[in-house]
Amino acid sequence: MKHRLLHILSIIGLICVTACTREGIEPPSAEQSSVTLLSRGGDDAVTRAISDGTTVDQLIYAVFNDKGQLILPRTVKDNTMISTNNKTKEMALSMTITLPAGSNYKAVFWLQSSECDAYTISDNMQLSVDYSGAGNNEHRDAFWGVSEPFNVDGSVVEVTLKRPFAQVNAGAFPFDWEWVEEFHNFNATKSCAVITGVANRMDLLSGEVSGSVNASFAPGDIPTDTLLTDVDGDGEKEEYTYLSMS
């Protein structure tokens, strides 16, 4: 399944300050480089009814040199201020990273909800996923991206953030679901899903995934939104009763 892209525009100032301890030598002036997190094309994340990108508020990042050696270990930035432009369907944030000059770097970014405990990320940006939580939980929404090599010379680098996970939706035609509820005389309020053979580890620097587990989600409240999707591929979205979202 293709990744759905979050439209994020972020200006990151990479500032280097080199201190000189020998008396009589002036430290060099600070250098600055900008990294722009930008994604175009695909579905507009902020137009989605569920997992629309608005739950993310925690940025996790690390920096490596061009040899893959860890320079700045995992850093967590809580209460990330993300502004949404409803007209352009873009989301924006800004931050600053301090790095020494003279090397090429690659930065790894992970954006998630602070209320999500399904993901564990090590200092060198190794991700492990716990699928045991409740389904239908849009706080699992997350975004990831890796920059091209850059240095602190004032250049601008574009980084594409995208969803590393597929979203699996289940729905039914409204008439069919109404018939099922009436025939069986029940009103379902929760649903769960089991998805077999999914990866549960990822190297966020290289993008390589590993592991194979069964994702067995616990029952969660059925989404109240209407599921709109083009199942038959004719270019028109049909309306379904939302049953589960994983």
Side-chain angles (χ1 to χ4, degrees):
M1 297 179 68
K2 69 177 183 179
H3 294 296
R4 298 190 175 189
L5 302 180
L6 169 67
H7 290 249
I8 294 185
L9 178 63
S10 173
I11 304 299
I12 299 177
L14 298 173
I15 302 175
C16 162
V17 179
T18 303
C20 223
T21 58
R22 288 192 297 166
E23 185 177 356
I25 300 179
E26 293 294 329
S29 59
E31 299 179 56
Q32 180 170 308
S33 179
S34 295
V35 176
T36 301
L37 301 187
L38 178 62
S39 176
R40 292 189 178 97
D43 294 328
D44 291 336
V46 296
T47 65
R48 295 169 60 179
I50 290 183
S51 295
D52 58 0
T54 58
T55 62
V56 296
D57 62 355
Q58 184 181 72
L59 179 65
I60 300 173
Y61 60 92
V63 180
F64 299 79
N65 64 15
D66 54 3
K67 298 179 181 179
Q69 298 170 323
L70 186 64
I71 301 300
L72 178 66
R74 180 183 65 94
T75 302
V76 180
K77 183 178 176 63
D78 288 316
N79 302 314
T80 300
M81 300 301 295
I82 302 174
S83 59
T84 302
N85 187 321
N86 291 324
K87 184 176 181 179
T88 62
K89 307 306 178 187
E90 291 182 340
M91 303 175 71
L93 60 89
S94 61
M95 58 169 292
T96 300
I97 302 176
T98 301
L99 294 170
S103 298
N104 287 330
Y105 302 100
K106 292 182 74 174
V108 182
F109 301 93
W110 178 267
L111 193 60
Q112 68 170 51
S113 167
S114 58
E115 296 185 28
C116 178
D117 57 4
Y119 312 129
T120 301
I121 301 176
S122 66
D123 280 348
N124 62 345
M125 302 302 281
Q126 300 295 310
L127 169 73
S128 60
V129 185
D130 179 6
Y131 295 108
S132 63
N136 309 322
N137 181 4
E138 61 182 313
H139 285 289
R140 289 177 177 265
D141 206 5
F143 301 87
W144 151 79
V146 182
S147 74
E148 293 295 326
F150 65 90
N151 52 52
V152 286
D153 62 356
S155 61
V156 176
V157 179
E158 288 191 357
V159 183
T160 298
L161 293 186
K162 55 187 176 182
R163 287 182 167 92
F165 306 111
Q167 180 174 311
V168 180
N169 299 308
F173 283 115
F175 178 81
D176 292 339
W177 185 243
E178 290 172 4
W179 181 87
V180 169
E181 289 189 309
E182 182 178 356
F183 181 80
H184 291 282
N185 191 28
F186 80 101
N187 181 25
T189 60
K190 294 182 181 293
S191 66
C192 60
V194 176
I195 305 171
T196 61
V198 295
N200 65 338
R201 293 187 297 274
M202 181 178 180
D203 183 329
L204 296 180
L205 175 61
S206 67
E208 295 181 358
V209 298
S210 59
S212 180
V213 299
N214 294 336
S216 182
F217 295 97
D221 292 338
I222 291 179
T224 58
D225 301 75
T226 298
L227 176 61
L228 296 174
T229 186
D230 180 16
V231 174
D232 51 19
D234 63 358
E236 295 185 5
K237 292 185 177 182
E238 295 82 30
E239 183 176 308
Y240 296 86
T241 297
Y242 227 138
L243 298 183
S244 73
M245 182 276 294
S246 304

